[in-house]
Amino acid sequence: MVSQERQEPAVPSSSSSSAKRAATSMDASPAPPLLLRAPTPSPSIDLPAGKDKADAAASKAGAAVFDLRREPKIPAPFLWPQEEARPSSAAELEVPMVDVGVLRNGDRAGLRRAAAQVAAACATHGFFQVCGHGVDAALGRAALDGASDFFRLPLAEKQRARRVPGTVSGYTSAHADRFAAKLPWKETLSFGYHDGAASPVVVDYFVGTLGQDFEPMGWVYQRYCEEMKELSLTIMELLELSLGVELRGYYREFFEDSRSIMRCNYYPPCPEPERTLGTGPHCDPTALTILLQDDVGGLEVLVDGEWRPVRPVPGAMVINIGDTFMALSNGRYKSCLHRAVVNQRRARRSLAFFLCPREDRVVRPPASAAPRRYPDFTWADLMRFTQRHYRADTRTLDAFTRWLSHGPAQAAAPPCT
Ligand SMILES: C=C1C[C@]23C[C@H]1CC[C@H]2[C@]1(C)CCC[C@@](C)(C(=O)O)[C@H]1[C@@H]3C(=O)O
Ligand SMILES: O=C(O)CCC(=O)C(=O)O
Ligand SMILES: [Fe+2]
């Protein structure tokens, strides 16, 4: 009897036959991300034929400040207001490099240094990067290559994994199924991860959604997510130490049974990168983000009113605090504004692992003297808010707490636009 359970390949690789099958590559032509004809009833994307339609569509898209006498080369729904798409600063952000290996090697001075670096970063712009994380470099490369393999598939194949409405899981092209304006110049593939299941949940997702050919790709992301979960818990220990939380293990235990989100971002080259964005200005609603990016660059953090580029460092993972952890720290650590810009020449890939609590866990800081800055809430509520009522942006947590206090029925949460 052949064993039914899946065997993990010795060396994961995403190069299954169909994953390599596609001849087309998004990298060559600076075409807009593949636009889906949004399923009815949500409005479909009207690509303007002439100038007046472009003007009308663009002003609807809130891009009225652009001088549309210069015909945009990109469809109007992809145009972003100047305020959000304003030029990047020439000054890169000095993102502290924290060696998290000190949590395992008994280096007490190193531990104090790491805690101080994290405290300084998280109390200001909310970003740091980690080395000594122990994540296999070959696995990171396989995960980035897997993103290239997936996104170069024909649209019909990617569509087999299309996002389930109201959830974050699945494939989307420019979120064209959700929004009518300020479309991000990207394609994404997102799926859930949690451990302790009877079978490998990420492998099940890939095989169940895309077919048996995608089992190797599923194993790459299964192992990658397992490594990200472990790294997340290590970082939680460091955050706890840096916050001086008396209850040792409070944050680590809070996320032991986490149910996280893995997101692969693919940003095609763009003919007018200054008029659109790969990912708009936002704070992550989640707790902690671990970002592995390729060498192209594009992540920017808002510091003192300037969009400061974060230079990719080979082998390092970029970490940022999300809204949920800002609430867990009662506002001491900041969930900060960031965005992703695109360029004319090279496609860019980034892998974002979003650590999220189990859905029903109540997000509440450890007992502290300070007055509470945020109400109790569950991740399920905040997640539902971002997927069904509100496009996560620069004010998500404030909008969410208002929505909670007024009750979902009354709150005038702005529609997802
Ligand atoms: C809970 C989530 C919603 C988003 C994915 C995760 C964490 C980041 C959020 C997001 C990336 C913030 C910017 C806007 C967004 C719509 C996007 O550009 O993808 C957000 C994600 C989402 O709602 O799919
Ligand atoms: O691609 C990037 O560099 C950032 C993406 C991001 O911020 C996100 O997906 O939340
Ligand atoms: Fe983000």
Side-chain angles (χ1 to χ4, degrees):
M1 170 71 174
V2 173
S3 147
Q4 287 306 307
E5 76 271 0
R6 292 194 184 85
Q7 298 303 321
E8 178 175 351
V11 176
S13 149
S14 67
S15 58
S16 62
S17 53
S18 38
K20 293 285 186 193
R21 184 170 53 216
T24 56
S25 154
M26 293 287 289
D27 298 13
S29 60
L34 291 161
L35 273 188
L36 308 180
R37 276 286 150 205
T40 51
S42 54
S44 64
I45 296 282
D46 268 338
L47 298 187
K51 181 177 168 337
D52 48 352
K53 273 189 86 175
D55 274 327
S59 54
K60 187 175 77 172
V65 294
F66 278 118
D67 169 5
L68 287 181
R69 284 187 295 279
R70 181 167 67 85
E71 196 66 19
K73 298 191 190 95
I74 61 177
F78 284 93
L79 297 175
W80 283 68
Q82 190 72 15
E83 173 45 31
E84 294 175 272
R86 58 193 161 87
S88 315
S89 163
E92 291 179 339
L93 183 64
E94 293 292 324
V95 181
M97 182 66 75
V98 180
D99 176 1
V100 292
V102 296
L103 280 120
R104 300 285 175 264
N105 65 12
D107 173 357
R108 300 186 64 76
L111 199 50
R112 281 194 299 276
R113 185 170 58 251
Q117 285 178 292
V118 164
C122 294
T124 52
H125 52 65
F127 278 73
F128 58 97
Q129 41 196 344
V130 293
C131 60
H133 45 66
V135 177
D136 178 0
L139 182 58
R141 282 194 300 276
L144 282 170
D145 291 347
S148 299
D149 292 344
F150 174 80
F151 289 108
R152 70 165 61 95
L153 290 171
L155 177 60
E157 277 212 69
K158 292 185 281 190
Q159 268 276 66
R160 287 170 35 219
R162 66 179 167 281
R163 187 183 76 99
V164 177
T167 77
V168 79
S169 271
Y171 166 74
T172 74
S173 171
H175 291 319
D177 58 329
R178 292 167 68 186
F179 310 135
K182 299 201 302 184
L183 297 187
W185 194 269
K186 68 178 174 184
E187 293 176 74
T188 66
L189 175 68
S190 308
F191 42 91
Y193 171 75
H194 62 276
D195 45 25
S199 62
V201 291
V202 176
V203 176
D204 291 346
Y205 173 79
F206 274 83
V207 171
T209 311
L210 292 161
Q212 196 58 42
D213 277 355
F214 288 83
E215 182 170 359
M217 188 180 280
W219 276 113
V220 168
Y221 290 111
Q222 176 74 30
R223 286 188 50 197
Y224 185 79
C225 287
E226 290 165 358
E227 300 270 319
M228 289 302 105
K229 166 71 184 288
E230 197 41 49
L231 177 55
S232 302
L233 296 182
T234 298
I235 291 169
M236 280 300 147
E237 286 180 48
L238 191 52
L239 290 172
E240 210 173 88
L241 201 62
S242 70
L243 278 164
V245 171
E246 297 75 31
L247 304 178
R248 288 311 303 272
Y250 181 84
Y251 289 138
R252 186 181 173 104
E253 280 152 33
F254 191 90
F255 291 101
E256 283 288 0
D257 53 0
S258 55
R259 309 209 36 130
S260 296
I261 300 164
M262 178 72 210
R263 166 162 287 184
C264 304
N265 293 308
Y266 178 77
Y267 302 100
C270 177
E272 287 188 298
E274 72 285 354
R275 302 185 86 167
T276 187
L277 287 168
T279 295
H282 69 281
C283 301
D284 292 339
T286 45
L288 188 81
T289 305
I290 304 178
L291 189 87
L292 176 64
Q293 53 177 329
D294 63 19
D295 62 352
V296 175
L299 172 63
E300 300 185 340
V301 182
L302 189 70
V303 179
D304 301 331
E306 297 263 299
W307 285 107
R308 306 281 296 277
V310 174
R311 174 195 292 261
V313 174
M317 303 254 178
V318 180
I319 314 295
N320 66 272
I321 298 294
D323 293 341
T324 297
F325 193 84
M326 181 161 71
L328 273 173
S329 70
N330 201 30
R332 285 181 59 191
Y333 281 0
K334 308 302 179 195
S335 172
C336 289
L337 284 182
H338 53 287
R339 71 179 188 180
V341 297
V342 290
N343 70 81
Q344 271 189 323
R345 283 173 308 282
R346 295 181 68 196
R348 176 174 177 255
R349 297 153 301 162
S350 71
L351 308 177
F353 181 86
F354 298 112
L355 181 71
C356 312
R358 197 186 64 220
E359 286 87 349
D360 60 345
R361 272 195 181 273
V362 175
V363 177
R364 181 183 298 144
S368 63
R372 291 285 302 277
R373 297 191 50 181
Y374 305 98
D376 285 356
F377 61 89
T378 65
W379 169 241
D381 291 335
L382 180 49
M383 179 69 160
R384 192 175 305 116
F385 181 67
T386 66
Q387 295 310 300
R388 301 181 189 178
H389 304 289
Y390 189 87
R391 177 176 184 169
D393 60 9
T394 58
R395 302 165 297 118
T396 309
L397 193 55
D398 292 340
F400 173 62
T401 48
R402 276 199 308 278
W403 182 72
L404 274 187
S405 60
H406 296 314
Q410 290 78 30
C416 280
T417 52

